[in-house]
Amino acid sequence: MSKLFKIPIILEANATVFMESHSRSIKLGFLIAWFEKIIFKHADYIITISSHLQRTISEHHDLSIGKIIVMSNAIDPERFVDVSGETQTGIIQRLQIRQKRIVGFVGAFVEWHGISFMLDALYSLLESEDIHILIVGDGPIRNEIETQVDQLNIRNNVTITGFVDARKVPEYISIMDICTMPNSNAHGSPVKIFEYMAMGKPVVAPKYGPIMEVLTHGEDSLIFNPLDRDDFADKIIELISDSKLRQQLGKRARETVFKKHTWDNHAVEISQLYHSARQHYDSK
């Protein structure tokens, strides 16, 4: 019908049945995969979040890579404004944080986010560095994380907030001195990174392709080798000991995300794709 009425189809795809089937059982997967192939084939453009996913879709469905457009995740600038010192002080007092520096994480409590890895890596720093670990979020492995905190006997250095309304997340990020993405995967575009950047915070993140498409080591972030505890801890120590570096990375991160990674920018790009497809139809 879209071809008949010359209405372009622009499809967003953040995963594929092929990829999902490797991590979980999918009922009627063969039928879903068949529909997916047809939908992908007839879309004028497919928008996805990373070059890795772009290549995967192109190769698996035998599609021209030119019709698959990479647009990483982004932010709404209006959500990420300066937070008053009074608000920040109120949060710190309510959470009873007494340490000098706050190392933070925002996100779901799931295995692939590496929260357990982060706790293990930072444990060795707690005796020598005056830091507090602030974990904002909730999820299926929260009980495991709570148990780990107790087993390591670091309850005085860790705060787990539980679920926080998305509208309040920037306020919690604002009190963090260092923001972390402990782990990720080869195809994802973690929203938390863009939120950290939008609040002008230095980011410590693992060296995965999609992350390297957004962050630049030494310019707006520090990048560590995935699941390397010593490397992760070294990057944290580097930032703790250098306030000027923290400020520089945070400032550049905010400039980068506001310039390149906003939903308004993506809307303009999608509009351009739509008009390009319409011109193609009209020329036939």
Side-chain angles (χ1 to χ4, degrees):
M1 292 293 285
S2 66
K3 308 298 181 185
L4 178 63
F5 291 101
K6 298 183 178 181
I7 300 174
I9 297 175
I10 299 177
L11 174 71
E12 179 183 357
N14 292 334
T16 69
V17 176
F18 169 73
M19 295 171 63
E20 292 293 310
S21 64
H22 286 290
S23 58
R24 61 190 178 93
S25 176
I26 300 177
K27 293 182 179 180
L28 300 178
F30 69 94
L31 183 60
I32 297 172
W34 181 74
F35 278 120
E36 178 183 89
K37 191 172 188 69
I38 292 174
I39 294 169
F40 280 21
K41 178 181 177 181
H42 287 91
D44 293 279
Y45 289 104
I46 299 169
I47 296 172
T48 193
I49 53 177
S50 69
S51 296
H52 178 91
L53 195 49
Q54 178 193 46
R55 292 190 299 272
T56 299
I57 293 172
S58 174
E59 293 168 4
H60 187 68
H61 289 289
D62 193 25
L63 298 173
S64 167
I65 204 162
K67 73 178 286 183
I68 308 168
I69 312 300
V70 176
M71 291 186 193
S72 61
N73 276 314
I75 55 101
D76 175 3
E78 293 184 2
R79 286 188 57 223
F80 297 91
V81 297
D82 290 337
V83 177
S84 71
E86 184 179 349
T87 298
Q88 292 176 321
T89 300
I91 294 173
I92 291 172
Q93 290 178 345
R94 178 163 50 81
L95 298 178
Q96 299 182 346
I97 296 175
R98 297 180 177 85
Q99 286 77 14
K100 184 177 181 180
R101 299 291 174 213
I102 299 174
V103 178
F105 166 88
V106 174
F109 284 51
V110 290
E111 290 287 351
W112 60 86
H113 279 169
I115 303 172
S116 177
F117 159 81
M118 176 182 68
L119 292 174
D120 282 339
L122 295 180
Y123 172 73
S124 61
L125 304 184
L126 296 181
E127 288 189 5
S128 59
E129 304 293 340
D130 190 19
I131 63 176
H132 194 89
I133 305 168
L134 175 59
I135 306 175
V136 179
D138 208 334
I141 66 165
R142 178 172 175 176
N143 288 341
E144 296 173 30
I145 297 303
E146 297 275 11
T147 298
Q148 182 180 6
V149 169
D150 289 332
Q151 289 176 341
L152 292 173
N153 195 27
I154 56 174
R155 184 62 66 176
N156 290 335
N157 291 88
V158 178
T159 296
I160 299 174
T161 66
F163 174 79
V164 169
D165 188 292
R167 292 170 294 183
K168 293 289 186 181
V169 165
E171 295 179 3
Y172 284 82
I173 296 175
S174 76
I175 70 171
M176 298 175 183
D177 296 286
I178 301 166
C179 293
T180 67
M181 178 75 219
N183 199 26
S184 187
N185 54 51
H187 68 271
S189 177
V191 172
K192 61 177 63 59
I193 283 181
F194 301 92
E195 295 180 335
Y196 297 158
M197 297 171 74
M199 290 304 295
K201 299 297 179 178
V203 181
V204 177
K207 190 176 182 179
Y208 289 107
I211 291 174
M212 300 300 291
E213 290 171 6
V214 175
L215 297 175
T216 302
H217 176 72
E219 290 190 14
D220 49 27
S221 61
L222 293 184
I223 305 298
F224 67 95
N225 294 316
L227 299 180
D228 185 330
R229 294 177 186 174
D230 291 339
D231 195 17
F232 177 80
D234 287 345
K235 298 299 188 292
I236 297 295
I237 292 173
E238 184 176 355
L239 286 173
I240 289 172
S241 60
D242 193 336
S243 61
K244 184 177 180 180
L245 179 61
R246 292 198 305 272
Q247 293 171 359
Q248 288 177 343
L249 295 183
K251 181 175 181 292
R252 290 171 184 164
R254 184 174 170 87
E255 291 171 351
T256 296
V257 80
F258 273 73
K259 181 179 180 180
K260 298 181 179 180
H261 304 289
T262 69
W263 295 122
D264 285 346
N265 288 347
H266 285 1
V268 171
E269 293 181 61
I270 293 170
S271 178
Q272 291 171 345
L273 292 175
Y274 176 84
H275 288 297
S276 173
R278 276 303 301 266
Q279 288 175 357
H280 176 72
Y281 285 140
D282 292 341
S283 66
K284 289 185 177 180

